[in-house]
Amino acid sequence: MRQVVNNWQTDQKGDAGRQPKPQYQSAFRIMKSYMGPYRGSFALVVLCTIAAIASELFQPYLVKVAIDDNLMTGNNDYGSLLIICAIYFGLSISGLVFTYLQNNLLQHVGQSIVSKIRKQLFKHITKLSMSYFDKTASGSLITHVSSDTEAVNQFFNQVLLTLLRDGLTLIAILFMMFYLDAELALYCTALLPIIALIAIGFRSFMRNTYQMARTRLSRLVAFVAENLSGMNLIQVFHQQKEQAKQFEERNEAYFKANLREIRTMVLFNRSFDLLGNLTIAFVVWHGGQAVFGQALEFGILYAFITYIRQFFQPINAITQQWNTLQAATVAVNRIRGVLDTKPEIEDSSQPIQVNRDAIEGRIDFNRISFGYDSSLPVFRGLDLHIRPGEMVGIVGTTGAGKSSLMSLLCRFYDVQDGSVLIDGNDIRDIPQAELHRIVGLVQQEPYLFAGSIIDNIRMFDETISREAVIQACEFVGADALMKRMKDGYDTMLSERGSGLSAGERQLLSFARIIVFRPKILILDEATANLDSQTEQLIQQALQVVSVGRTTIVIAHRLSTIMHADRILVLRHGEIAEAGTHAQLVEKKGLYEQLYRHSQGESFPSSAVSMIR
Ligand SMILES: Nc1ncnc2c1ncn2[C@@H]1O[C@H](COP(=O)(O)OP(=O)(O)O)[C@@H](O)[C@H]1O
Ligand SMILES: [Mg+2]
């Protein structure tokens, strides 16, 4: 875990050093492919947008009509004034309704697409091979599923909405201004290049401040995550002060970046306001002169001023979407990257049909070579053959390759050379789902899901009866634990089974494996967390379970494997010694040394001498 968190941090640092260049084209193409099924809804959104904009932009025009055709003419026509007011009110209502519809529709489509992407991502990630998780920090995967998909949502509900609504508004305003007075409109459009210059200038500046704030936030988050996972260490080594100081530094950096971002935003917005007001002053001055000279109707001047005010708002809104667009683009490309990752381990295109019940459980490792990194081989041509129903114990120092060997048998990784066979069938030809029902693995740290105990034991497989689960629990001696639990077998466990001791979790995972009746049973240091009394229980259960099953037991405590049919001593990925307990003790080799050591462990000679 520690290593993963560290990777994540360096990840973030790497990001800060060279910011990923957004690839807009590919992002838009991907987005378009997701939008395809919602074509109809999008067309409706566009229609609603047009209706909403028309309702809004027609209002100043209506006031112009009231001023020029009613108020300024002198005939007190209350009737038509009332009608104009009624239409004005009606337009406001229709603007509201269409904006609401448009927002809702777009939200619905956006959220549907994002929830689809999230589901797709999660499903895809669960299919990826172990080697992928070795290379990828879990923190970055969490980011993909949570914040990256959220950025995509923002693309629909902010970027697309703004581009559509404000883009159309802008065009409509320009149209109305030219329609009302072409000369005055021409003067105003002369401003456009200035606006563009300001926008471009601020854009790059804003991108930097935005990126800086994001990077510093993720560093802060990574730091908290690392601290949480290492909290016991921090407290044991009294690192609270030191960690708080480091946190303070990161917090301060984020605070500053945030302030800078906000300052930039405010400056940008206000400079736009200033430009807008300048334009209005110009229009009032120039248009006012025209009104004095009777060349322009007063109503038109009023409408013009209102349109100018409305003109700057969409421009401002569009430029503000720049950051969101950028974040969404990076997010989409990252999501695509995960989705495009092919699992390294895939089912063969011509899988063989295996009859699970007919499997005898013979295992052949034929001259296998394997390494997580091809330059660092763990096994170099290892040959090992296990008879059906044999019980094999494996011992060896940490890093000897015991767990790796079992990972190969479960096909979490593929061998680079040689082959692994079960009953003579290459495991690469057996569908993975089938293989994992044949080979049952119990590890040192069993994983429990949030859910009831019974579901955790039968792994949410409803075809397994309650009786079968109860029987399995009695078998491994977990029934005493069940009696202690609040709701017995229906007690809900929180994530990872916190609330249970390591030994209790292990008992449940034993029950789990017994319920599934695998033909090949692997225990990888599975008894390490158990107290010796519980271990004895398991030992007895194991004696019964292993009958008619090929069983491989990896253990530190030699007492667990002493009675195995064959014991292997693994060293640097090679079988250094093999034989029964008696044979190996006789041999006076590595095993005998280990055995003497373990005898000493229960009565450490140093401790004994100290007592004396
Ligand atoms: N996921 C992994 N990625 C890279 N190297 C690994 C991984 N797992 C184990 N190794 C390396 O492979 C070797 C064998 O490890 P392992 O099979 O876990 O040993 P054991 O279970 O006997 O303690 C060690 O050198 C270890 O560092
Ligand atoms: Mg191991």
Side-chain angles (χ1 to χ4, degrees):
M1 184 62 205
R2 218 171 162 77
Q3 192 189 353
V4 165
V5 172
N6 282 337
N7 279 348
W8 183 23
Q9 248 189 345
T10 36
D11 242 26
Q12 304 289 358
K13 278 179 193 147
D15 271 355
R18 76 195 131 72
Q19 286 158 8
K21 245 196 150 45
Q23 298 160 301
Y24 296 104
Q25 269 183 350
S26 64
F28 269 104
R29 226 183 12 245
I30 296 162
M31 236 46 128
K32 231 171 81 189
S33 70
Y34 281 117
M35 282 154 67
Y38 299 95
R39 229 172 272 133
S41 305
F42 277 112
L44 264 179
V45 169
V46 174
L47 283 182
C48 287
T49 313
I50 292 175
I53 292 172
S55 310
E56 216 160 275
L57 290 190
F58 208 60
Q59 290 168 6
Y61 187 78
L62 217 53
V63 177
K64 172 218 169 277
V65 172
I67 294 174
D68 290 343
D69 300 353
N70 284 291
L71 302 178
M72 302 298 275
T73 52
N75 47 359
N76 297 350
D77 184 355
Y78 288 100
S80 34
L81 198 60
L82 197 65
I83 293 176
I84 289 179
C85 287
I87 298 178
Y88 191 95
F89 185 67
L91 283 177
S92 308
I93 298 286
S94 89
L96 192 97
V97 169
F98 281 115
T99 309
Y100 174 80
L101 280 180
Q102 162 227 44
N103 263 315
N104 255 12
L105 255 170
L106 203 58
Q107 276 285 355
H108 185 258
V109 175
Q111 295 286 1
S112 307
I113 291 176
V114 169
S115 104
K116 205 155 115 189
I117 296 179
R118 226 182 277 134
K119 202 165 81 186
Q120 208 180 1
L121 254 180
F122 184 78
K123 250 173 106 175
H124 189 79
I125 289 174
T126 56
K127 281 197 202 120
L128 289 174
S129 309
M130 288 304 145
S131 52
Y132 180 78
F133 299 104
D134 290 344
K135 283 181 283 214
T136 316
S138 59
S140 75
L141 284 178
I142 292 170
T143 312
H144 295 324
V145 179
S146 58
S147 33
D148 280 354
T149 51
E150 192 45 42
V152 174
N153 184 26
Q154 285 182 351
F155 171 82
F156 289 105
N157 291 310
Q158 289 182 23
V159 179
L160 206 61
L161 184 70
T162 309
L163 282 184
L164 198 68
R165 189 184 55 201
D166 296 305
L168 283 176
T169 308
L170 214 56
I171 293 169
I173 289 179
L174 276 174
F175 175 81
M176 288 304 279
M177 292 205 302
F178 273 95
Y179 171 74
L180 287 173
D181 189 295
E183 192 199 330
L184 213 49
L186 216 55
Y187 280 126
C188 295
T189 41
L191 274 176
L192 284 175
I194 302 177
I195 294 174
L197 275 181
I198 295 185
I200 291 170
F202 267 98
R203 200 188 69 188
S204 63
F205 195 62
M206 233 151 60
R207 181 169 58 199
N208 289 341
T209 54
Y210 173 84
Q211 287 281 7
M212 190 191 283
R214 289 316 108 198
T215 312
R216 289 185 180 175
L217 176 64
S218 42
R219 266 191 219 162
L220 195 71
V221 171
F223 185 77
V224 173
E226 192 186 10
N227 268 267
L228 286 179
S229 63
M231 191 55 82
N232 46 3
L233 268 179
I234 291 175
Q235 297 191 346
V236 166
F237 288 97
H238 298 287
Q239 290 294 301
Q240 289 99 328
K241 245 195 200 139
E242 173 58 26
Q243 295 298 318
K245 208 176 99 209
Q246 288 197 26
F247 181 83
E248 183 64 35
E249 277 166 23
R250 287 170 171 80
N251 198 21
E252 176 86 15
Y254 178 49
F255 167 79
K256 281 188 180 143
N258 254 341
L259 277 191
R260 205 173 129 174
E261 189 187 350
I262 291 164
R263 259 204 313 267
T264 317
M265 288 272 261
V266 171
L267 203 63
F268 181 65
N269 288 346
R270 290 308 136 234
S271 57
F272 254 62
D273 282 353
L274 193 67
L275 206 62
N277 287 331
L278 264 175
T279 321
I280 289 173
F282 169 77
V283 169
V284 169
W285 181 66
H286 191 82
Q289 279 177 333
V291 172
F292 285 149
Q294 305 277 307
L296 191 71
E297 290 177 76
F298 176 65
I300 294 188
L301 185 61
Y302 164 81
F304 231 94
I305 290 172
T306 317
Y307 284 136
I308 295 270
R309 278 204 175 283
Q310 288 182 351
F311 187 66
F312 280 88
Q313 195 202 336
I315 294 184
N316 205 350
I318 289 175
T319 40
Q320 304 246 324
Q321 289 313 312
W322 189 254
N323 287 333
T324 319
L325 174 64
Q326 205 181 17
T329 312
V330 173
V332 163
N333 284 319
R334 269 204 300 233
I335 288 174
R336 197 69 244 171
V338 178
L339 289 178
D340 283 346
T341 311
K342 287 235 161 39
E344 269 176 41
I345 309 282
E346 277 186 298
D347 278 349
S348 150
S349 54
Q350 289 155 331
I352 50 164
Q353 294 292 325
V354 277
N355 179 359
R356 211 187 304 149
D357 296 322
I359 293 278
E360 289 189 313
R362 188 172 73 244
I363 306 168
D364 297 286
F365 292 95
N366 291 325
R367 301 187 170 282
I368 55 155
S369 296
F370 170 76
Y372 295 93
D373 184 335
S374 44
S375 64
L376 280 171
V378 177
F379 302 112
R380 295 167 230 82
L382 176 102
D383 221 37
L384 171 63
H385 307 278
I386 298 173
R387 293 189 310 275
E390 188 176 2
M391 183 172 190
V392 175
I394 303 183
V395 291
T397 48
T398 309
K402 306 179 296 288
S403 300
S404 303
L405 196 62
M406 296 306 112
S407 293
L408 291 178
L409 182 55
C410 294
R411 207 180 166 216
F412 293 148
Y413 304 89
D414 270 338
V415 288
Q416 276 130 17
D417 200 16
S419 60
V420 182
L421 311 184
I422 291 179
D423 277 18
N425 300 312
D426 195 313
I427 59 170
R428 285 170 288 203
D429 296 330
I430 303 175
Q432 287 173 75
E434 199 60 41
L435 178 67
H436 295 145
R437 288 297 291 260
I438 297 172
V439 183
L441 173 66
V442 186
Q443 286 168 307
Q444 182 169 7
E445 266 304 319
Y447 190 90
L448 297 179
F449 297 91
S452 67
I453 289 187
I454 185 162
D455 278 338
N456 258 294
I457 292 175
R458 64 183 174 195
M459 293 299 266
F460 305 93
D461 184 345
E462 301 280 334
T463 59
I464 294 171
S465 71
R466 196 180 173 86
E467 285 66 47
V469 172
I470 294 175
Q471 218 179 12
C473 283
E474 281 169 357
F475 200 68
V476 297
D479 48 338
L481 167 68
M482 293 307 155
K483 293 205 183 84
R484 261 182 285 137
M485 300 303 284
K486 190 162 53 85
D487 297 320
Y489 289 88
D490 297 308
T491 308
M492 297 302 282
L493 297 179
S494 54
E495 245 162 289
R496 296 181 178 215
S498 53
L500 293 178
S501 76
E504 288 166 339
R505 285 200 294 271
Q506 195 57 281
L507 276 182
L508 294 189
S509 81
F510 274 111
R512 181 188 277 170
I513 217 72
I514 284 171
V515 155
F516 279 89
R517 310 193 165 280
K519 290 291 173 175
I520 297 171
L521 179 63
I522 305 172
L523 306 186
D524 187 353
E525 316 244 339
T527 49
N529 282 331
L530 302 178
D531 56 79
S532 51
Q533 200 185 345
T534 318
E535 199 204 342
Q536 254 172 18
L537 262 175
I538 293 291
Q539 194 77 37
Q540 285 161 12
L542 198 59
Q543 295 289 329
V544 186
V545 179
S546 61
V547 173
R549 267 195 185 91
T550 309
T551 313
I552 304 175
V553 182
I554 299 174
H556 266 315
R557 265 184 242 162
L558 297 188
S559 57
T560 322
I561 53 156
M562 253 164 62
H563 309 289
D565 299 323
R566 184 159 49 135
I567 296 169
L568 308 173
V569 181
L570 210 61
R571 191 171 168 227
H572 303 314
E574 282 168 7
I575 296 170
E577 289 171 19
T580 61
H581 174 73
Q583 286 167 346
L584 290 180
V585 169
E586 180 104 347
K587 199 173 170 188
K588 293 205 185 303
L590 284 166
Y591 182 82
E592 197 260 351
Q593 276 177 23
L594 273 172
Y595 181 59
R596 257 193 298 138
H597 234 89
S598 73
Q599 295 294 88
E601 239 167 48
S602 33
F603 300 104
S605 50
S606 52
V608 174
S609 62
M610 266 163 71
I611 295 170
R612 279 187 194 143

